[in-house]
Amino acid sequence: MSCNDKLQDCFKKWEEEKLEKALSRFGERKPQFLSGSNEEVRRLYTPLDVEDINYDDLGFPGQYPFTRGVQPTMYRGKFWTMRMYAGFATAEESNKRYKYLIDQGSMGLSVAFDLPTQMGYDSDDSISEGEVGKVGVAIDSLEDMEILFDGIPLDKVSTSMTINAPASVLLAMYIAVAQKQGVGMEKLRGTIQNDILKEYVARGTYIFPTKPSMRLITNIFEYCSENVPKWNTISISGYHIREAGSTAIQEVAFTLSNGIAYVNAAIDAGLNVDDFAPRLSFFFNAHNDLFEEVGKYRAARRLWAKIMKERFGAKKEKSLMLKFHTQTGGSTLTAQQPENNIVRVAIQTLAAVMGGTQSLHTNSKDEALALPTEDSVRTALRTQQIVAHESGVADTIDPLAGSYYVESLTNKIEKEAMKLIEKIDALGGSPNAIDKGYMQQEIMESAYRYQKEIENDERVIVGMNKFKVEEEAPKDLLRVDPSVGKRKCEKLKELKDRRDNELVKKNLEDLKKACKSDENLMPYILDAVNSYATLGEICGVMREEFGEYKQSVMI
Amino acid sequence: MRPIRVLVAKPGLDGHDRGAKVIARAFRDAGMEVIYTGLRQTPEQIVQTAIQEDVDVVSMSILSGAHNHLLPKVVKLLKEEGVYDDILVIGGGVIPDEDIPYLKENGIAEVFTPGTTTTTTIEFIKANLKKSIA
């Protein structure tokens, strides 16, 4: 009997004649094997598992529904952008780190801001005490941005900025620095994260309530589609949703649901879907479950293409493409045996690359302990370079396609994620589901289950709950000088003495008026920034006008 | 014996509350009464809540690197309010080992870094309560 003719029968025969014998002699390691998303992993995948695949559902790279990648040549044309996320202490120190990374072969910048900046507070605000320069660079005014990008030509690099609630202000500062360098805004390439919904869900750095937050976002879409056409105006982020403890399936579902909410908001604001959709970008996580992760990226691309086409009637091909940045999973790193993290990051890098990412940040081995040192960042970047230049995985497009397992996973993730998206639709869409705490609750359940699995030894974390060794405290961690905050406060005082305070006052009043109207706020923010109004002053005006978001706390 | 009352708090500006929520759930599953403050609590707010809720334990989770500033400040305020002798103060999060002695000198009874099991923390609390719950 030829197996090609009667696969089902052959499979059964194999089970009876071969498998049962082996099972009766050895058994298997576990009664049940589960993926990271708690889906059953079968013993063996065969064509039977992908019988319903229609090649139209895969398509060719650069072709709808983009399952196999968004560009026709993918990494044969050029590698993904190796974009290391960095920033700490002052603009001067971060500028040095950026130049180092560019020297080492990093291809794009990715700015990490400190928490006061992310929350729209100046360094001299009492709430900023102890936090200035700690998890990123402290930016108070245009002056700091000028220093941050000093000697870095903004028409040559692309810059990603992890900034959400005050994204409009930081984008305005970037535009202003470029203008000072003689670079027109039409030349600027980069991304602002600008994804407030996931802040309410998972990351917590929100300022304003949902409505004005969504207005700021659509104002940016509109302003950029006219003036900064190469800029990615949002990076709809599953990364933080995953870090907060979601499964891969929830990561896809909640992220795309948030994406749907932004598209809806922009259409409601009167924008044409094909004018802004090509500038939407995404940001996903890469965890250790290699095949599930690859399936996740492929499923997300296909789902988004279908949503944009079928739900929103987008016509431009670029509106249908899900382009994404990836970061390896911070929460997968262990403080125990930090060297093991290098291996984890390598696996996650493979997942991102075999999943077709457009850019990648690799975490450093010491990040479960502190911000990374220069040496550990270099190893993280080298990991990407080794995968790119030595592994061969970048030489053919979508190398895992056709794997019975990966195709089956891709289908499964697409189907399960769609179910969750429909559930959120039924709750009235993302903003309503968030207000009801639905996503937060689901993520928390997953996070708690994961923690229990580790503590019950159902999930092995090498070096943490298995293969442990006695360890000495790690040395040579990066420490941010605690005097950074004091120095920043002094600098801010000097700036306020020096600038044209009458002009600042006028610009802030104009912004205040614009907040009350339905005008686009970007030009007003740009004027304020150009007169060296501080981030805290500008966000302060918006805080007064818009109010602040209150978290609904549940455990 | 009454249940142990724990305040789980997130001091500082960072919004990553996975650890805080997981530990809060674990405390609850271990039979404790848990009050969770939510994000971005100042030391003053944490101390006020601790007093109002008459807790036995203040458990703080922090990842922002501001621990050396914020955790001792909570202890100082608890002392000023005259309640430190009744309340066990613990901390957890991304805290380098070399900072732990300083935190302990400043009244933080124990610091739990990544990889600690929830059971370890629960056992520590049970063994180190300052007030009797009998």
Side-chain angles (χ1 to χ4, degrees), chain A residues 541-553:
Chain A
V541 166
M542 294 197 277
R543 263 196 179 92
E544 258 173 52
E545 288 305 309
F546 298 148
E548 294 189 63
Y549 179 78
K550 293 275 171 285
Q551 182 193 32
S552 57
V553 179

Side-chain angles (χ1 to χ4, degrees), chain B residues 55-59 78 83-90 107 109-110 124-131:
Chain B
V55 297
D56 305 296
V57 184
V58 171
S59 168
L78 287 171
V83 292
Y84 178 72
D85 292 342
D86 293 332
I87 299 177
L88 175 70
V89 183
I90 57 175
E110 191 55 87
F124 181 85
I125 289 177
K126 286 181 178 164
N128 291 279
L129 284 175
K130 292 183 176 174
K131 255 193 305 196

Side-chain angles (χ1 to χ4, degrees), chain A residues 85 110 160 162 164 191 193 195 198 203 234-243 251 255-256 280-286 296-297 322-328 357 359-361 363:
Chain A
Y85 182 53
S110 176
S160 163
T162 299
N164 294 282
T191 308
Q193 201 163 78
D195 171 6
K198 68 93 181 40
R203 190 167 172 269
I234 193 166
S235 170
I236 306 161
S237 303
Y239 183 82
H240 316 90
I241 289 172
R242 189 69 178 280
E243 287 302 287
E251 181 188 352
T255 310
L256 298 198
L280 304 177
S281 64
F282 288 80
F283 175 21
F284 290 115
N285 210 314
K296 176 184 81 180
Y297 305 122
L322 181 150
K323 292 169 293 174
F324 67 104
H325 171 73
T326 307
Q327 181 176 340
T328 59
T357 196
S359 73
L360 177 63
H361 165 92
N363 290 329

Side-chain angles (χ1 to χ4, degrees), chain A residues 126-157:
Chain A
S126 65
I127 205 164
S128 306
E129 231 175 286
E131 312 259 21
V132 177
K134 285 282 163 61
V135 302
V137 58
I139 300 292
D140 291 318
S141 74
L142 176 57
E143 190 176 68
D144 291 327
M145 283 293 260
E146 290 165 6
I147 296 165
L148 189 67
F149 293 107
D150 180 50
I152 298 171
L154 298 191
D155 52 347
K156 298 282 190 309
V157 294

Side-chain angles (χ1 to χ4, degrees), chain A residues 32-151:
Chain A
Q32 198 187 17
F33 290 76
L34 294 174
S35 75
S37 285
N38 273 19
E39 297 288 335
E40 194 195 346
V41 179
R42 301 159 81 141
R43 177 176 297 115
L44 184 75
Y45 288 81
T46 70
L48 293 170
D49 296 287
V50 290
E51 261 179 344
D52 54 345
I53 286 196
N54 173 349
Y55 198 80
D56 288 341
D57 249 7
L58 292 175
F60 288 94
Q63 179 181 306
Y64 183 85
F66 306 102
T67 314
R68 306 201 62 186
V70 290
Q71 295 121 1
T73 59
M74 290 301 286
Y75 311 134
R76 287 170 69 98
K78 69 177 180 59
F79 289 126
W80 61 95
T81 304
M82 298 178 195
R83 190 191 292 283
M84 302 303 279
Y85 182 53
F88 60 99
T90 58
E92 286 86 352
E93 281 173 82
S94 297
N95 175 269
K96 247 169 58 193
R97 177 65 70 92
Y98 296 153
K99 287 178 176 163
Y100 173 79
L101 285 168
I102 291 170
D103 275 353
Q104 293 300 315
S106 193
M107 297 141 75
L109 301 175
S110 176
V111 183
F113 296 101
D114 73 351
L115 286 163
T117 307
Q118 293 185 47
M119 290 297 304
Y121 295 115
D122 286 337
S123 299
D124 61 358
D125 198 301
S126 65
I127 205 164
S128 306
E129 231 175 286
E131 312 259 21
V132 177
K134 285 282 163 61
V135 302
V137 58
I139 300 292
D140 291 318
S141 74
L142 176 57
E143 190 176 68
D144 291 327
M145 283 293 260
E146 290 165 6
I147 296 165
L148 189 67
F149 293 107
D150 180 50

